Each structure stands twice: as structure tokens, then as C-alpha cells.
Amino acid sequence: EPEVTQTPSHQVTQMGQEVILRCVPISNHLYFYWYRQILGQKVEFLVSFYNNEISEKSEIFDDQFSVERPDGSNFTLKIRSTKLEDSAMYFCASRGDEQFFGPGTRLTVL
Amino acid sequence: GQQLNQSPQSMFIQEGEDVSMNCTSSSIFNTWLWYKQDPGEGPVLLIALYKAGELTSNGRLTAQFGITRKDSFLNISASIPSDVGIYFCAGRLSGTYKYIFGTGTRLKVLA
């Protein structure tokens, strides 16, 4: 069964460093998403991506964040200069008829 | 921004009991999804709803898209220990791409 995959599963970084989180969406899906979940809280929408451009973004998704689909399979989230409050689980999701989530990347900013 | 109010926040039930949870909003949605999340893992899709009034089952799970399009409920019948986890509703507003998540219902099943 096709699934969304994410790497790495856990990323530890120093405050101010750049991180890139990677996702491989389900191959025939056209809509891609990044979400964030701070420990113990609900899942929060960050950004949606369709037809090689951002289709919608939340107020969380400020200039420190960017997304890219560098080739036909990968979908990346870059955080340019990480802050302590960026520590969270980051989930990629892709949507065909329905939206499926990846297993997440746990980002820890020290 | 738009809010999804999910209740109850948590519940302890005996194995074999039925469970009901719901999400409500002041906004109108054109899609409702229900997910289950285990600790440290991504949300797993349980049921998707696309039309007002739609009632859909997936095994012991049944979910309905409210007729006003502002709410949805999820029922779990004859709960078992592996039903333990956090259940989230997620709704997509008409004309948008994003899904808004509810605050979650933490379910604990006592054997």
C-alpha cells in the first residue's frame, strides 16, 4: 500500500541553524502539505502546495520557512534559522481523494 | 482564525462500551476527516466524509457529516484496548486547501 515517507525521523539542531525536512508523498497525489504538532497539542496547518507553488499558508509559515519540490518525488520544508519554539513534530501529508500523513520528523532545537 | 471544538477532551471507558465524540464549528466545511494518532506517530486516516448528512462506517467506526456542515461525530462501538489513542477531526473549508484540526479526544480503554 502506498504511503508517505519522511526523513529524518529525528533531527537535533542548534538554534540559528538551518534544517531541511524531507518527504516523499504518495506518487499519484497532487496536493502536498506540511503540518506541525507541538508536544501534547493539536496538529497545525503550515502550508499547502499544488501545481508547483504554494496554494495556501498559515500565519505560522513566516519568512523563515520555505517549501520546495526539487524533483518529481521529494517535497521539502526548510527552516532557515531555527528557534527554540520550532521544536515540534513536523508532518508531511499528501492528498489524492483523501489526505494521508507521513510518520513525522521530530525536530529538537537546542 | 477558524476553530474546531472537539469534545470530550478525554474519556476513560470500559472495554466493550461504545464511544462517541464530536467536532463543532461556526464555519461551514465541505470535507470532514477523522484520524487516530498513537504516541510518536503520524495521524492515521479512519474515515473521510464529503457530503452533508453522509454516514460512513469503517468496521466498528461510524462517522457522520452534520447536515448543517458545521459538525461531525465519530462513534466507536464495542471498544477494545487497541482503540486507545488520540482521535482528531479535521475539516476543510470550502474554497480552501488547508485542513483545520480539532483539539483531539484522548481515549483510554480499561480492560
Side-chain angles (χ1 to χ4, degrees), chain A residues 11 47 91 106:
Chain A
Q11 173 94 48
V47 65
F91 293 107
R106 179 175 299 282

Side-chain angles (χ1 to χ4, degrees), chain A residues 95 97, chain B residues 28-33 48-51 65 69 90-94 99:
Chain A
R95 177 166 73 94
D97 292 330
Chain B
I28 293 175
F29 292 89
N30 66 357
T31 303
W32 284 98
L33 305 176
L49 303 161
Y50 300 104
K51 293 191 302 187
F65 193 140
R69 296 171 63 195
R92 184 164 67 93
L93 295 163
S94 178
Y99 287 83

Side-chain angles (χ1 to χ4, degrees), chain B:
Chain B
Q2 293 85 10
Q3 296 269 9
L4 276 183
N5 302 307
Q6 187 170 347
S7 66
Q9 190 173 18
S10 64
M11 49 198 314
F12 287 79
I13 60 168
Q14 293 288 334
E15 183 177 358
E17 288 184 353
D18 297 344
V19 173
S20 184
M21 61 192 79
N22 68 83
C23 280
T24 61
S25 176
S26 57
S27 301
I28 293 175
F29 292 89
N30 66 357
T31 303
W32 284 98
L33 305 176
W34 283 93
Y35 289 90
K36 178 174 183 275
Q37 186 178 31
D38 292 327
E41 298 184 13
V44 174
L45 182 65
L46 300 174
I47 292 181
L49 303 161
Y50 300 104
K51 293 191 302 187
E54 180 181 353
L55 183 72
T56 297
S57 292
N58 178 8
R60 294 179 294 106
L61 278 60
T62 302
Q64 186 159 30
F65 193 140
I67 198 73
T68 64
R69 296 171 63 195
K70 295 181 180 181
D71 61 345
S72 177
F73 72 74
L74 174 72
N75 286 343
I76 305 172
S77 63
S79 57
I80 59 178
S82 61
D83 290 334
V84 165
I86 302 177
Y87 292 79
F88 289 100
C89 63
R92 184 164 67 93
L93 295 163
S94 178
T96 73
Y97 293 88
K98 70 179 183 182
Y99 287 83
I100 299 166
F101 275 71
T103 47
T105 295
R106 185 181 296 273
L107 179 64
K108 298 195 177 182
V109 180
L110 306 174

Side-chain angles (χ1 to χ4, degrees), chain A residues 78-103:
Chain A
K78 182 192 290 187
I79 309 175
R80 262 179 270 283
S81 178
T82 50
K83 304 187 286 288
L84 294 176
E85 54 265 37
D86 292 329
S87 294
M89 285 288 287
Y90 287 82
F91 293 107
C92 174
S94 71
R95 177 166 73 94
D97 292 330
E98 296 164 350
Q99 179 181 238
F100 294 93
F101 279 74

